[in-house]
Amino acid sequence: MRFGFILAAAALAVGPALAGSDLAACTSKVGKQTSGAQTVAACTRVLADKTIAAKTRAAAYYFRGRAYQKKGDADHALADFSALIQADPQAPAGYFWRGKLYLDRFDFDRSIADLSAALRRGDRLATAYNWRGLDYYYKGDVKRAIADFDAAIRIDPSFAGAYWNRGQAHEVAQALQAALADYSEVIKREPKRARGLISRALVRIDLGQPARAVADANAARRIDPKNAGALAVRGKAYRAMGALKRAIANYQAAVKMKPELALVYQQGARADRAKAGRGPAGKAFPPAQRAVAKEAPTPGDDSRTELKELGIDVPAAEHRLVPEGKSLLDVLK
C-alpha cells in the first residue's frame, strides 16, 4: 500500500491545526480511535479545504471510502474510490477497493478491469487475484478463475479462501480429486471452521465415498453444532449409503434448524435435472446455473414430490429464498 507515504506527505501539506485534528481523525483506523461516522465527518472537512495537496485529497478519499464501505454504504464508497483514482491514478488502493465493490454488485467486467489495474500497480496481490478469480468464476470462465486462484496461492500459500474458491472451480470442471485436495488444504488452515469439511464431504459423496463423507460431516458438527449444512450433507451421505431412515432424520433436523433449506433441496434437484454442468449440490453456481437454481417451486414438480417422500415439506410460496447473486452454500452456512 502506498498510503503510508501519502499520509506523511498529507501531514506536511496542511496547516498544523488541520494536521493535528481533522486529518488525524480522518486517517485513524475505524474502531480504535474513531467511529465510521467520525471518520466520514473528519474526512469531509479535510476535503472541504480546496488548498490541500493532491496526496492529502487522495488519502482523505481513501479513508472516507473505507469508512463508508465498513458502514455498508456502497454507493458513497464507490464514489470516493472513483474520486481517489482521479486524484491519484497511480494509487492501487482505489482500483482494488472499487473492484471489490463491483464484485459485490455482480458487475464482473468492471471488477475485472479494476482488479487488473490494481495488480499492475502491485497492490495486495493475493487478494486481488482471488477476487478476480471469483469474477471469472461467476462469468463461467472456470479456466481463468483457476489460474487466478493458483496465482493467489503461489503468493500466499496460507490463503484458505483461495483454496476453497479453487475447490469450487475444480468441482465445476469435474476435477473432483483436485477439489478434494483443495478442501483438505482449507481444513488444515481453518481448523475451527466447518466449511472445508462440509465441502469435502460433498465431494466424497460424488466420488462414491459416503462413509468418509459422514465422517467429515460429523467433524463439521463437532466444530459447529448449529451448522444446518453439516446435517444436510450427512443426510445426503446416508442416502447415498442406502440408510434412508438416517438420511430422513438428518434432512428433517437440518430443515428444523434452518427452514429455508427445504426450498434449497428442491432448487438443487431442479439444477441437477437441468444438467447445468455444476459441481455437487450446495455449491456456488456460475450465473446461468444460478438462474436455474433460483426457480421458484411449481405445482407437480417431481423434485418436490421426491422431497416429500423424504419427509421434507417444501413451501408452496412462489418466491426466491436464495437472493440474487448468492449461492446455495450461502444458505447452507
Side-chain angles (χ1 to χ4, degrees), residues 197-329:
L197 287 159
I198 292 173
S199 296
R200 191 172 71 177
L202 285 163
V203 174
R204 290 198 190 283
I205 294 168
D206 276 12
L207 288 172
Q209 303 170 1
R212 299 184 76 177
V214 169
D216 275 348
N218 287 339
R221 289 271 292 156
R222 286 192 293 272
I223 292 170
D224 185 0
K226 295 182 179 180
N227 193 305
L231 283 168
V233 172
R234 191 169 67 182
K236 184 178 174 70
Y238 278 132
R239 188 179 182 192
M241 294 169 68
L244 292 183
K245 288 185 178 180
R246 286 186 173 184
I248 290 169
N250 276 271
Y251 286 145
Q252 290 176 330
V255 171
K256 184 177 180 181
M257 186 179 293
K258 203 161 193 176
E260 58 265 40
L261 282 175
L263 186 53
V264 170
Y265 289 133
Q266 181 190 8
Q267 291 167 328
R270 291 175 72 89
D272 283 343
R273 289 197 313 281
K275 304 289 185 184
R278 59 151 184 83
K283 295 305 181 191
F285 285 67
Q289 300 159 347
R290 287 203 311 270
V292 173
K294 290 197 295 291
E295 290 183 26
T298 54
D301 189 341
D302 57 349
S303 66
R304 185 175 178 184
T305 302
E306 178 186 9
L307 290 169
K308 280 198 169 187
E309 289 172 355
L310 289 172
I312 299 171
D313 186 25
V314 177
E318 293 289 328
H319 66 279
R320 297 174 176 176
L321 289 181
V322 179
E324 178 66 27
K326 296 293 185 180
S327 71
L328 298 186
L329 194 60

Side-chain angles (χ1 to χ4, degrees), residues 156-187:
D156 183 2
S158 67
F159 197 164
Y163 283 106
W164 192 78
N165 290 331
R166 191 174 68 178
Q168 302 274 297
H170 279 314
E171 285 191 68
V172 172
Q174 292 299 303
L176 298 184
Q177 291 292 347
L180 193 76
D182 276 342
Y183 294 141
S184 295
E185 294 297 328
V186 174
I187 293 164

Side-chain angles (χ1 to χ4, degrees), residues 29-40:
K29 186 174 181 180
V30 174
K32 283 197 173 182
Q33 297 171 337
T34 61
S35 68
Q38 289 172 323
T39 297
V40 168

